[in-house]
Amino acid sequence: MTAARHVWPPPSDEVTTVLADLGRPPHQETALELRGPLDRARIEAALDHAAVQAPAAPGHRIEHHGPGHHTLCLTACDAYPVGLLADLLTRPAAASPGSPRVPPTPLQQELLAEADARPGLHVEQLTLSWHGPLDTARFRASWQSVTDRESVLRTAFDDGPEPLLTVHEHVTADVRFLPAASTAWADLVETDRRDGVDPRRPGAALRVTVMAPGLPHGAHPARVLLTYHHALLDGFGARLLLREFYRAYLAHGRLPGGERRPGLPDYTAWLGRHDTGPARDHWARVARTADASAHVPPLATGPAGPPHAAPEHVRLRLPADRAARLHAWATRWGGTESVALQAVWAVLLYRARGARGAAPVSFRIGADGRGVLLDGVENMPAPLRTTLPLCVDVDPFTTVATLLTEVRDRVLDMTAYAWASPGQVRAWARPEDVTDPADDGGLLVFASLPRHPDSVTEALAGEGVRVGPPDTLAALTTLPLTLAAHHEPDGSLVLTATYAPSRLPGVADLLAASALLLSELPYTEADTTTVADVLRLLSTAAATGATTTPPPTPRVRPSAPPAPPLEVLRTAGGPGTDTVCLVRGAGVPRSLYDRLAGAYRGPEAVLLLHPDAGDPHILRQAVRTLADDGRVVAVFGFSGSGATAYETARLVAAAGGRTPALVVSGTAAGTQELARTLETAAARTCARDGGSQR
């Protein structure tokens, strides 16, 4: 049983789902079962709008079955646009007229597009432990107070061909409490990640889940999980919000002060005024260096993997004394620990290439995006963290000091342009290409994280509460590997590699090689030690079994195949079992369909139809190849694709199959509840026509 079934209280999104049985005899009433709040004015407006496309307006009546459950009965009327009516009834309510709408940043648009194309990307998590008493009402009120003050938590993408951001006036904080016995913590974390985040749903910017045994005075610490999407919030911003939550909790659930400024609208306005000319020139110069390293073997050796592939996290810790020695050594040679890590990574990539003589290598580094000339941006929770290409020359005959200097200077050169998105950099540097050689070198992030003031820690301790340091579970990205470094409160340096196992074997050895160099280099004189000496150190360690690195495995980047008209999301429970068809709609994240298919518990196969991939009759032919007789028992579409879903159901019936049920719902519907509605629709179709394969 998944953790989602134990969530209390459930999210309070008001959404309507329409279930229609289209298999009734001619001249009989058409019944649309409505699940959700009843808004008579909205129903009347939807009927009036749909009647424009009907030969005649049908009569109608509403039957009540209980709270949130009604039936809209339409008198017999041929060629009535049932699908359009379902779209109108399930369309999300518009934001209030006073809600600001601003264009997203280029970085946000890119992250959203990548997540839509590959579900599961860019969903990051933050975990921490809570020792001592926990007042759940005060906890919830504190997060609500932060949500009321921080506009980023009330921001969501609008649906549409040109995405916009709407800052909603009021959003209910998504805070969930689970009993400790409901599921294992590791299972909860993974289930929560697989549930994903829909940046188009108001209130989805941050989800807070608490596993709390024995509230309010549990003998064991509570576990807190924060989940967010990089298109709306980055890790630095999440920690800033956590700091604000502590302040609100100490103030008994009421955070003092008004709404934070600057906010994301202020930042987008700054971007709109900013001159991009110098940035264009800089990245064009960087590209000329990167071109020479385009044939470096990439880190990744496998395909991107299936949707929602669970990321692996490999962690290694440098003790405080070694971390302190690394800091002193890097400072002595005019660098920082992050520069040392970047130089080490450049050497490892060079070694993986098996090159002889000087050669350039490229990889990406993280930039928090807050070094811009906007007052207060350093404390603004927002999706500002970007990734930038770093291209350096590695020459085995030069000294380590020379390599450190080159890395430091190149990083300093890009500091003024660290607000740029990867797509902008790629377009400015190499407009004729769609890829960047730096993408295959992985991503290095040396996190500079906000700290909680001692006064906050002491005030919490005064109430018997102690919170552990937050731990980041990095998101999967389009890059093969993310290597993140951060300092723990005890002064140790932690290296964490996040990657998709199917793409990158041998990560533990690669991480060990990085740690080896970070530990050993501080014992050398950088102005006399050469890169060749460092390579010999790695070879000796590999020969003695101390560490090894992945072999250089060239990989040709394949071109993306065209999407099939019909895609299997979930196989049938047995031979000859019926089929449920999901119709892909424009602007709806692919992750919603994958989550729905994963939550579906009926025996039917679940397929995804791409209606723009060809003639709708392809559906029938494709179903014949996937099931014995191609029986489709239910067709589903999110709001906006209801008309296409209705036409698909009609074509299936016209081809000689049973008439499937039609289900249309808003994108904010709960995945588990929506899956149960689909199961009900499929069962009704089987019961109506007989011959159920259930």
Side-chain angles (χ1 to χ4, degrees), residues 399-419:
T399 64
V400 171
T402 301
L403 178 61
L404 288 171
T405 300
E406 181 181 358
V407 171
R408 180 201 63 193
D409 291 348
R410 290 186 183 272
V411 172
L412 288 175
D413 286 345
M414 70 172 66
T415 301
Y417 317 112
W419 47 266

Side-chain angles (χ1 to χ4, degrees), residues 13 147 153-156 168 171-174 201-207:
D13 301 298
T147 301
L153 294 182
R154 305 193 310 276
T155 299
H168 295 264
V171 163
T172 301
D174 192 350
R201 182 174 68 82
L206 180 67
R207 181 167 63 242

